[in-house]
Structures are given as C-alpha cells and as structure tokens.
Amino acid sequence: MSNDHVVASAIIRLMQGVIYRESDEDTWITLERLGGGVRDHFATIGIDVVIDDAEGYAYLRSRPTEDGDEALPRLVRRRALTYNVSLLLVLLRKRLVEFETTGGEGRLVLSTDQIVEMLRLFQSESTNDARAVDQAETTIKKAAELGFLRQLRGQNDQWEVRRILKAYVDAQTLSDFAAKLREYAGAGDSDE
C-alpha cells in the first residue's frame, strides 16, 4: 500500500471519529510515522489533529478563529447536550480522576447499577425508581453513542469509561460544573 493511500485512510478514519491506539493500531502507526501529511491536510481547513500519546487517542479539533479572520464553517459539530448527559459526563470524568489518583491502572469499568446510582443522587426526590432507572439508561446510551462509554463485549451491564472524556471535559469545566451541581442538586431535568 502506498504512503498516499495509508495517509488518506488515516484522514478518513479521523473524520469518522476518535482513533484509539488499542482498537485501531494501523491508523495509530500511520499517525506516528506519517502524521505530518495528515496534519498538513487538516491545517488547510482550520482543523488541528490532536494526538495524546499518553492516553492513546487522537481526534480532530477546530482551530479558534484569529482576530480579523472570517470564521470557517465547522467540520467538527458542537453538540447540545441535555442536562442529564452533561451531568453524567462530568460525574464520569470525576470518577476517572479519582480512579487515576488512587493508582488505578488500565481501564475504568463501571456497572450500569453504579452509573444509575451516581445519577440518582442528582434527580429530584419525586422521581420514582422505575422512571429514574429508565432515565439513567437513556442517558448511558446517549453517552455511549457520543463515544464516552463503551459496553464491554458480552457484558451488557459493564461500561468502560473512554479516556477521550478527559479532552472533552477539562479541569476547568469540572470545577465550574461542580459549583453548579452544588446549586442544582436534586433538580435534574428529564432527557425526554
């Protein structure tokens, strides 16, 4: 396979979503060996290729517009997230920080029940149990669709927290949201 073909393949894979070293080794090797060509391609349209070697993922990020420049159309769409999905992402990010600071190695895996329990703390007391579980499961599915959770193969109730969450929810967002949570605890809106 020619270098051009391999670079084109890596470009297409990045446009499809986050690249993980563990699950897409061929593309990862291309990014290591021929990353310059991939970066140059995206640079012409105002997109940065972000590669996190330590965490083993790569993704695309729109460059901020320079003063005086006209904004380019967005390739990487911003997503409007519901309260519950935003809440879950912040809670998962917090768990990831705790996991790493207590010396946890490898992947952070949580059960559906553990995630439901995390969310339950922030639901209004009037929400009945069955509804709370349904709402939490809907939120978990949405987080999985967005690529922040991955269901373990053959284990319906076990979820790996994907490390790309660290790039999406930074320390400042975590801190800001934690302050809001203290204000809004118990006032969760519906995802419906």
Side-chain angles (χ1 to χ4, degrees), residues 110-179:
L110 298 170
S111 69
T112 303
D113 288 348
Q114 285 174 301
I115 298 172
V116 168
E117 205 47 50
M118 284 165 51
L119 285 167
R120 195 189 302 267
L121 294 171
F122 296 94
Q123 287 174 330
S124 63
E125 288 173 23
S126 63
T127 307
N128 70 40
D129 263 9
R131 180 165 159 67
V133 170
D134 282 351
Q135 206 172 319
E137 287 178 350
T138 300
T139 305
I140 290 167
K141 281 192 187 102
K142 187 64 182 166
E145 283 169 26
L146 293 168
F148 298 116
L149 284 173
R150 183 173 67 96
Q151 197 167 36
L152 295 190
R153 192 172 289 137
Q155 298 181 61
N156 291 346
D157 69 333
Q158 297 291 309
W159 300 90
E160 176 192 350
V161 180
R162 307 304 303 264
R163 291 181 179 273
I164 188 64
L165 188 56
K166 291 170 78 168
Y168 192 81
V169 181
D170 62 18
Q172 185 58 51
T173 307
L174 207 53
S175 164
D176 293 349
F177 206 87

Side-chain angles (χ1 to χ4, degrees), residues 52-63:
D52 189 320
D53 276 315
E55 299 295 353
Y57 58 72
Y59 64 99
L60 300 178
R61 179 176 60 201
S62 296
R63 277 194 191 144

Side-chain angles (χ1 to χ4, degrees), residues 34-51:
L34 304 166
V38 176
R39 280 192 175 89
D40 290 349
H41 170 82
F42 285 110
T44 62
I45 56 170
I47 303 285
D48 287 326
V49 179
V50 181
I51 299 174

